[in-house]
Amino acid sequence: SKPPISITVVEARQLVGLNMDPVVCVEIGEDKKYTSMKESTNCPYYNEYFVFEFHVPPDVMFDKILKLSVIHSKNLLRSGTLVGTFKLDVGTVYSQPEHQFYHKWAMLSDPDDITAGCKGYIKCDIAVVGKGDNIKTPHKANETDEDDIEGNLLLPEGVPLERQWARFYVKIYRAEGLPKMNTSIMANVKKAFIGENRDLVDPYVQVVFAGQRGKTSVQKSSYEPIWNEQVVFTEMFPPLCKRIKVQIRDSDKVNDVAIGTHFIDLRKIANDGDKGFLPTMGPAWVNMYGSTRHYTLIDEHQDLNEGLGEGVSFRARLLISVAVEILDTTSTEIVSSTEVQVEPVSNISEVKEFFLFGSFLEATMIDRKIGDKPISFEVTIGNYGNQIDGVSKPTAAKKKKKEGGGESDEEESELIQQNSSEDEADDDGDLVSVSSTPPMKPVITDRNYFHLPYFEKKPCIYIKSWWQDQRRRLYNSNIMDKIADKMQSVGMFLMNTVRDKLKMVQNFLHRLRFLADEPQHSIPDVFVWMMSNNKRIAYARIPSKDILYSIVDEETGKDCGKVKAVFLRLPGKKGFGPAGWTVQAKMEMYLWLGLNKQRKDFLSGLPNGFEENKAPRRSPCLQSQVFQLRAHMYQARSLFAADSSGLSDPFARVFFSTHSQVTEVLSETLCPTWDQLLVFDDVELFGEAGELRDDPPIIVVEVYDQDTVGKAEFIGRTFAKPITKMCDEHYGPPRFPPQLEYYQIYRGNSTAGDLLAAFELLQVRGRAELPPIDGPTDSERGPILPVPMGIRPILSRYRIEVLFWGLRDLKRVNLAQVDRPRVDIECAGRGVQSALIQNYKKNPNFSTLVKWFEVDLPENELLHPPLNVRVVDCRAFGRYTLVGSHAVTSLRRFIYSPPDKTHNNWASAGRPTHTMQDAFLLLFISITRDYIFVLVWGIQTMDFYYLTRSLIRRSFLYPQNEEKEEKKKKKKKKKGEVEEDDETDESMLDWWSKYFASIETLMEVRDRFCSILFYSILFYSVYNKELEAEYDNFEDWLHTFNLYRGKAGDDDEAALDDDRIVGRFKGSMCMYKLPLSEEITREVGFDPNMGMFQSIPHNDPINVLVRIFVATDLHPADVNGKADPYVVIKLGKSELKDKENYISKQLNPVFGKAFDMEATFPMESMLTVSVYDWDLVGTDDLIGETKIDLENRFYSKHRATCGIANSYSVHGYNVWRDPMKPSQILAKLCKEGKLDGPHYGPGGRVKVANRVFMGATEIEDENGMFLTYNEHLALTVLKHWEEIPRVGCKLIPEHVETRPLLNPDHPGIEQGRIEMWVDMFPMDMPAPGPAIDISPRKPKKYELRVIIWNTDEVILEDDDYFTGEKSSDIFVRGWLKGQQEDKQDTDVHYHSLTGEGNFNWRFVFPFDYLMAEEKIVISKKESMFSWDETEYKIPARLTLQVWDADHFSADDFLGAIELDLNRFPRGAKTAKQCSINMVQNQAELPCISIFKQKRVKGWWPFVARDENDEMELTGKVEAELHLMSAEEAEKSPVGLGRNEPDPLEKPNRPDTTFLWFLSPLKAIRYLVCNRYKWLIIKIIVALLLLMMLGLFLYSMPGYLVKKLLGA
């Protein structure tokens, strides 16, 4: 099953553009899905969910590009304009922790406009969640931290927040060695007509990166095309797409096919460190591999050429380079060269001659299907050595270098003339490449496999080839591999000492392995093909770096000059699934690759005693060693079930060299104990003794299932290396006798069990020296040798007691129902049978509870054989049918350990470790009227001051019914000064306030001190998983074993084990060594019939009242991302459907329901809670279901019947739910555990089993009277029950559990989760009270009144026709988010010349609000076709916009502000103080909530984005927000706008707001006064001055004359 990709688009913010109608498009590969359209908003809220499913291999899926884009107003008529996109590949999501991004902001950018910067953000969840992963659905009690966009960008770790634009240049120079892509018939026809011989391929190169693709031109008819072109991509850097795909394709009139594909991983060609570099590569040759080279019309391995799966043959090599250039978006000269042509690259490095030598030392395990014809082997490197479909000769003049590697068919018979003397080694004029072994007929090994008789003479191959000398890169790669290998072996050694260091080492190791993979291979890999009848049968691919030779030891490849076992397999898809499990052939090979001039060393690594033969191509052998192999086959466990009974009849076959032997067949078991020694005599191995000792050949063990008809079925195989003893060594410790070891058995890629065995290889010179095989041949089993004493485990006597409880859910066998089942238990050949159940329908429990048997088991726990549980049905006439079986692989958890008497009574022997919730101290608090008394007792390493302070701060443990004032004070303390006056009433608190408080505490648990106060009155535990997961499946004494029948499925068929479950056996085991100490059996009341299972309740049927509470359900289901869910509850035969109350179109419905059912255990013990999707037509679909085994809960010591509350109250929302009071529960527990107590003492103390607990004793009843009870004391003990010695365990607190919903059609993938809990009350006890009311909170009705008083500094949009003046006709529009349809506008303030507008206008927005979740609740029909209204929960945000009204064209949008009503900046006192900072630095400014302030007045800025995407201030608004509850609003109603009641006065607007053509004089006067006022004043002043000057000049002479004459 391929993991689906699920995407939730939550909302978008800061979208660039004016007044847009955004739609989000989610695109993966070719699939597109769209959200709905939101009108006129830059920050739409969607909360829509999409699922994409792909049925492709993971590699292909991880390369798919996921693209989120925002489109502005897409509708039927227009396609919309793109605002911005965000891209990443699916692989990036998958490599995240938990394979998901949760609530992250994706930053949008526009690839066509790279200077623009960020185009907005989308908040989304993306998950690639497969089987068994869970989708995160954390509760967000508050979402403030996610509003910090910068801190939550959707980027993987280590990617910088500011990404830049970059150009990626992929340059493509030339290719060589292309295969034929056309049939020769056509070519011959052409040749006849045109008379020229053409190459049969028309190649071009296609490059795909980040969802974009580019291609080069097509080079017609060329095996060695030359392009010299480049493909340029523009993409953000670092890119979130890891791989560039380069593909050579063959252009064809019908359809183009891929010739070969290469992926370039950008991480491998870049370094992000301080000395880092951008992705850079080449120019380098990349080798492409794919299907075999001969051309067929329909290539069965075409997928391999597309890059899926491991290529089985060399296809071509391509010279390319990659470079990245970061663009400086500020500069104007951004358009750099994108032309296609690039200058050809000169030769990268010199071409050198390489020499490849190989020798086949043995070929065994050849599949019998091909055993009848002669077989040869061919080795190729690139096209060199390929004789069938190798180099297609280019028609151009042949190059010299091709001739050297020419085909060698004719020279088959020639002898190799070569002197081995070193001085003449260089003179290799005559040395001809020989790439294949002579054909030979295989010989039979056993009935499944053949081998080739390579004894004295081993065939060899020699190949010369020419490559660019890039060995240095491969050497570095080898050095890193060796470091990593070394680290791994040291790492295993350090395993137990340093855990944290180990983590570091592993990360480092991972990085080393990643770096060691060299992206610029120059030398192609070596392929070994097995040929039969000139057809290619099976292959092995050997990386060239592994066999590369270097003078320096560290640089040499790990397999160079060593004898290695190589397994051949079928090519392509054939190699997967059952066909690929059989080995095609096993080779022991010796390979050496190096420069031709280093050739003298090529034999240095062959096992000593080989020497090159000048005669035909074999190397004869001087030395052969004779050995005896002893295979000690002890047992296997957890084998694959190969028969329809769910069992197998296994036997093992051991292969070594050319020998094979089998063990005996053991019928009907998955855990065979063969206990058999297989001896292989006279095994002849070639090579030098020392080598064989350190690196002996591999042993292959195959396990088969014997069938009565037909051939044995393959179960799995494993490999082992024997421990070797040469004749001069002593047979004794430390190496001998060998230890039994577990070897994992593999079947394809999946595991199919373990084999416990030991292998020793002993050199034989004469018979006498061999250590004797002791132990007679087994008389019962004929000539079978058992495993000898020193190796087989030491046994001791154990007694195994089995508790038989009952059988559940048995399915039909052969169409008949199971009626009289019995359970058989078997372990190591001994066993016991349960009593027969007489009537399974009536009572599926066993009448006799405990039985036991004795058996000899190994002392070492790891070697314990499995215990088999089988259920058979007894039919008439003494027939038995197998119903199902279960193998308990490890008995470890059932081993009985006696309690440790040395411990003092303070701690129990097997005391559980503390979890987060059991804080380290015991706190008891009693509050009386005047003072708070805190007793802190037993603190360990805690900050005392902090503690007491926080206690006193939370001193609301027992609220009192005092006068109102005190109550208000207390309540204020209680919620940390958050609550409002009207919230203080006790009656306001309900179950949900407790729920949300608990969730918040859960969020705070990270804070160490909050964990101490994890329980206080308001809280209970919220488990974000099933209760079973927290309490070990409630298997504290009763275990559940699944019974299986039928063949196991293989991974590929995705047949889950769940389909094989045919029922469940309930019971337990207890094993202990005999004899048992006396103390236990001597204890009081020891019932010998019950053995170790003392004090276990009886399993008679019992009636129980089950009360199920379903609170909320999380996560989506329907195709359109919405569902209409309702709950169905099944228990036994009864079923409750809550279909009437389905919740329309919801992803996160809140059910808030309690259901009561009556049940009888054990018949009805499996509770199924399912959520269905209501459909108007057709049947309702199952979304998912969860199953709860009530029986285990009911009988568990953790007391899972009814959670223990944190405090004992008699009334209110926190009332005690259990019919038994705490003191009664405590007394019952003490009696059952045979404990002394409880003894209540004065001063709030209670003593239980030598432990003293203290606590408050007062309790308040409905009338506020205080009564003294022991209930609080008892409750304190219950909350710390795990501290009681011997019997203590954690009792389940009052809780809510979160259970995943699963759907059988999508096995293993969560379909959502449900929060719920279950209470159970036995019917023979007093009846419990009525169920708590957990019905969902009804939203509270509010009315928000917004008065727009004035605006100021609004930007001016219009030009006047006559005067050319700037002015605006301003109006303000407002709405609450999600209610755009109900938007309200003020009247228009015409012709404002200063940007000032006066409105005195009132908006009234009624809305429903959920205080706890801080969300507005809206109910509306989704579309005209919807059947009923859908409820949406939307954050409370008020949007105000300022507009310029136009008469004839559309109104112009000027600016907007969005206020989150829970957190918005306080308005400025005056227009001057109001600045754009109030929007930009919202995080730093003090924020207020309208729900607390109720009334706010001030100035707020309007903002919009300019051309450069910068925020700019486009106006200011003076507004007053007034929030009233619906009741208050009814008492003081107001009118909309300026209407009655409570009208606002008319604004005092300047006269120019009237249009100039209505009152021209006024307008002119205004113009004159306003615009030219200063000019006119200046002119007048100037005129006055001039007049005065004139007068002065005019009167001056007369005056002077007068003065002079003295008149």
Side-chain angles (χ1 to χ4, degrees), residues 262 264 281 284-288 316-320 519-521:
H262 181 77
I264 301 171
M281 168 175 168
W285 287 98
V286 297
N287 301 303
M288 299 192 175
R317 54 204 302 250
L318 176 67
L319 183 60
I320 61 171
Q520 305 190 26
H521 275 295

Side-chain angles (χ1 to χ4, degrees), residues 1057-1096:
D1057 272 354
D1058 302 359
D1059 309 342
R1060 299 176 48 231
I1061 296 181
V1062 287
R1064 300 192 326 280
F1065 163 60
K1066 284 196 175 178
S1068 186
M1069 333 270 164
C1070 179
M1071 63 182 282
Y1072 47 87
K1073 246 181 176 168
L1074 290 180
L1076 196 56
S1077 70
E1078 289 291 298
E1079 296 171 25
I1080 298 168
T1081 48
R1082 277 210 308 260
E1083 260 184 35
V1084 194
F1086 182 86
D1087 175 3
N1089 291 335
M1090 298 300 281
M1092 289 298 149
F1093 298 102
Q1094 300 291 322
S1095 71
I1096 272 182

Side-chain angles (χ1 to χ4, degrees), residues 258-498:
I259 295 175
T261 306
H262 181 77
F263 293 99
I264 301 171
D265 190 331
L266 291 174
R267 293 167 303 178
K268 291 194 176 160
I269 56 172
N271 179 4
D272 55 2
D274 306 336
K275 296 199 171 69
F277 51 88
L278 295 173
T280 319
M281 168 175 168
W285 287 98
V286 297
N287 301 303
M288 299 192 175
Y289 306 100
S291 64
T292 47
R293 294 175 60 94
H294 60 256
Y295 178 76
T296 50
L297 204 55
I298 294 155
D299 187 349
E300 56 177 341
H301 303 310
Q302 183 54 39
D303 281 358
L304 300 177
N305 299 334
E306 298 279 359
L308 309 179
E310 182 189 56
V312 299
S313 169
F314 176 83
R315 301 283 291 174
R317 54 204 302 250
L318 176 67
L319 183 60
I320 61 171
S321 72
V322 177
V324 173
E325 162 192 31
I326 299 281
L327 298 179
D328 176 12
T329 44
T330 51
S331 73
T332 48
E333 280 305 300
I334 204 162
V335 189
S336 66
S337 73
T338 55
E339 82 277 2
V340 190
Q341 283 322 67
V342 290
E343 62 285 355
V345 60
S346 59
N347 220 341
I348 354 172
S349 58
E350 54 174 323
V351 175
K352 294 210 175 151
E353 183 180 13
F354 282 79
F355 176 66
L356 171 68
F357 169 77
S359 170
F360 293 81
L361 302 187
E362 74 177 36
T364 54
M365 292 183 73
I366 296 171
D367 198 17
R368 65 172 177 189
K369 293 192 197 66
I370 42 179
D372 46 357
K373 293 199 180 67
I375 282 178
S376 65
F377 294 98
E378 177 190 81
V379 179
T380 61
I381 177 164
N383 275 330
Y384 296 105
N386 188 332
Q387 296 167 14
I388 308 182
D389 43 26
V391 183
S392 318
K393 291 273 172 45
T395 48
K398 289 185 187 170
K399 299 189 180 128
K400 171 81 186 78
K401 73 170 196 186
K402 279 279 176 283
E403 304 200 313
E407 271 78 281
S408 52
D409 298 350
E410 329 66 78
E411 297 112 43
E412 274 291 330
S413 55
E414 276 186 36
L415 302 184
I416 294 170
Q417 312 278 312
Q418 192 200 353
N419 310 331
S420 53
S421 57
E422 292 171 11
D423 46 42
E424 297 170 42
D426 303 337
D427 170 31
D428 52 292
D430 332 337
L431 179 75
V432 181
S433 293
V434 173
S435 69
S436 67
T437 65
M440 269 182 120
K441 269 217 77 151
V443 205
I444 291 183
T445 313
D446 68 8
R447 59 188 193 181
N448 271 21
Y449 290 115
F450 289 76
H451 65 264
L452 289 179
Y454 293 156
F455 292 124
E456 259 59 75
K457 295 192 169 180
K458 312 290 186 190
C460 299
I461 54 103
Y462 307 86
I463 297 177
K464 281 189 187 174
S465 53
W466 285 262
W467 307 111
Q468 280 69 27
D469 186 10
Q470 296 265 335
R471 287 170 307 156
R472 166 68 21 227
R473 291 179 177 281
L474 301 180
Y475 287 163
N476 291 345
S477 185
N478 278 335
I479 293 176
M480 280 194 278
D481 265 338
K482 295 208 167 143
I483 297 175
D485 290 343
K486 194 128 215 144
M487 267 177 73
Q488 229 164 347
S489 54
V490 174
M492 299 320 282
F493 173 69
L494 288 175
M495 205 61 171
N496 312 326
T497 47
V498 269

Side-chain angles (χ1 to χ4, degrees), residues 1536-1586:
L1536 283 168
R1538 293 192 278 275
N1539 302 340
E1540 293 283 343
D1542 190 12
L1544 300 168
E1545 70 217 38
K1546 268 203 150 51
N1548 177 16
R1549 290 181 179 163
D1551 303 332
T1552 47
T1553 57
F1554 305 107
L1555 292 175
W1556 57 272
F1557 51 78
L1558 294 180
S1559 45
L1561 289 173
K1562 268 187 182 172
I1564 289 165
R1565 193 191 76 200
Y1566 183 78
L1567 265 181
V1568 170
C1569 292
N1570 234 29
R1571 197 166 198 180
Y1572 303 117
K1573 186 160 72 181
W1574 288 109
L1575 193 60
I1576 291 167
I1577 289 171
K1578 280 177 190 162
I1579 291 171
I1580 290 170
V1581 169
L1583 283 172
L1584 281 171
L1585 284 168
L1586 274 171

Side-chain angles (χ1 to χ4, degrees), residues 1249-1523:
N1250 306 352
R1251 296 219 42 187
V1252 179
F1253 293 90
M1254 306 179 75
T1257 54
E1258 290 180 331
I1259 189 168
E1260 140 221 18
D1261 61 8
E1262 282 98 4
N1263 316 322
M1265 295 297 293
F1266 278 98
L1267 305 169
T1268 304
Y1269 268 139
N1270 290 331
E1271 301 303 342
H1272 280 305
L1273 280 173
L1275 185 55
T1276 306
V1277 181
L1278 294 177
K1279 275 156 56 178
H1280 295 280
W1281 188 247
E1282 67 267 30
E1283 293 165 20
I1284 302 287
R1286 201 166 56 81
V1287 295
C1289 63
K1290 188 166 165 40
L1291 300 184
I1292 288 191
E1294 187 179 9
H1295 63 275
V1296 169
E1297 57 178 314
T1298 310
R1299 301 187 65 89
L1301 293 173
L1302 298 171
N1303 189 332
D1305 302 345
H1306 307 279
I1309 296 174
E1310 264 185 37
Q1311 304 296 316
R1313 297 177 171 199
I1314 190 163
E1315 297 191 337
M1316 54 171 298
W1317 82 93
V1318 180
D1319 288 346
M1320 290 177 280
F1321 309 105
M1323 305 287 265
D1324 51 6
M1325 305 281 289
I1332 308 182
D1333 177 28
I1334 61 164
S1335 51
R1337 292 181 157 174
K1338 295 282 176 280
K1340 195 169 169 185
K1341 291 196 180 310
Y1342 283 99
E1343 185 167 288
L1344 178 66
R1345 300 173 177 178
V1346 183
I1347 301 176
I1348 305 292
W1349 293 109
N1350 301 300
T1351 59
D1352 202 355
E1353 296 181 38
V1354 175
I1355 51 173
L1356 307 175
E1357 270 289 298
D1358 296 350
D1359 296 333
D1360 197 295
Y1361 295 118
F1362 292 92
T1363 56
E1365 262 195 312
K1366 286 281 204 187
S1367 69
S1368 272
D1369 304 332
I1370 306 172
F1371 71 91
V1372 177
R1373 169 175 290 171
W1375 72 82
L1376 280 178
K1377 183 161 205 155
Q1379 307 183 348
Q1380 270 102 320
E1381 327 46 278
D1382 309 334
K1383 54 178 181 271
Q1384 302 180 23
D1385 294 351
T1386 61
D1387 59 349
V1388 182
H1389 180 122
Y1390 285 107
H1391 215 72
S1392 163
L1393 299 166
T1394 57
E1396 185 185 336
N1398 317 98
F1399 295 101
N1400 302 359
W1401 190 274
R1402 184 188 281 125
F1403 298 150
V1404 178
F1405 301 112
F1407 64 96
D1408 297 346
Y1409 184 70
L1410 274 173
M1411 224 14 167
E1413 300 179 44
E1414 299 187 356
K1415 292 272 193 353
I1416 291 183
V1417 179
I1418 301 174
S1419 292
K1420 59 180 182 190
K1421 288 204 172 184
E1422 215 167 39
S1423 67
M1424 27 198 292
F1425 308 113
S1426 297
W1427 178 254
D1428 45 23
E1429 295 194 327
T1430 306
E1431 193 175 86
Y1432 296 92
K1433 289 186 187 167
I1434 290 180
R1437 295 196 184 133
L1438 169 72
T1439 308
L1440 296 176
Q1441 294 182 337
V1442 61
W1443 291 73
D1444 170 48
D1446 281 344
H1447 285 283
F1448 304 113
S1449 58
D1451 299 345
D1452 301 326
F1453 170 78
L1454 303 180
I1457 182 167
E1458 181 176 88
L1459 300 176
D1460 181 338
L1461 296 180
N1462 284 300
R1463 278 174 289 281
F1464 62 95
R1466 194 181 280 282
K1469 296 269 191 316
T1470 62
K1472 273 208 177 65
Q1473 293 168 347
C1474 170
S1475 73
I1476 192 163
N1477 277 350
M1478 293 169 63
V1479 178
Q1480 284 177 332
N1481 311 347
Q1482 200 164 343
E1484 286 100 68
L1485 296 172
C1487 285
I1488 53 174
S1489 161
I1490 191 71
F1491 296 99
K1492 295 176 193 160
Q1493 295 279 353
K1494 302 293 185 203
R1495 195 160 198 157
V1496 178
K1497 184 173 180 180
W1499 286 87
W1500 282 276
F1502 281 127
V1503 291
R1505 295 197 170 236
D1506 58 11
E1507 294 77 57
N1508 306 332
D1509 281 354
E1510 298 299 320
M1511 286 281 209
E1512 62 169 354
L1513 184 70
T1514 54
K1516 304 174 181 181
V1517 61
E1518 182 187 17
E1520 179 178 343
L1521 276 62
H1522 187 187
L1523 181 76

Side-chain angles (χ1 to χ4, degrees), residues 605-671:
L606 264 180
N608 286 355
F610 280 99
E611 66 168 38
E612 205 177 356
N613 194 357
K614 326 295 182 291
R617 291 164 297 156
R618 311 266 176 114
S619 38
C621 161
L622 291 179
Q623 244 177 331
S624 77
Q625 321 275 344
V626 181
F627 286 90
Q628 182 190 58
L629 172 75
R630 296 182 180 178
H632 305 278
M633 308 292 290
Y634 191 65
Q635 69 179 33
R637 64 178 186 191
S638 323
L639 290 182
F640 177 86
D643 288 350
S644 51
S645 61
L647 300 169
S648 300
D649 309 320
F651 67 92
R653 185 178 267 132
V654 183
F655 296 95
F656 185 67
S657 179
T658 56
H659 302 250
S660 90
Q661 290 195 32
V662 286
T663 64
E664 58 176 339
V665 179
L666 296 182
S667 57
E668 298 238 324
T669 172
L670 296 181
C671 312

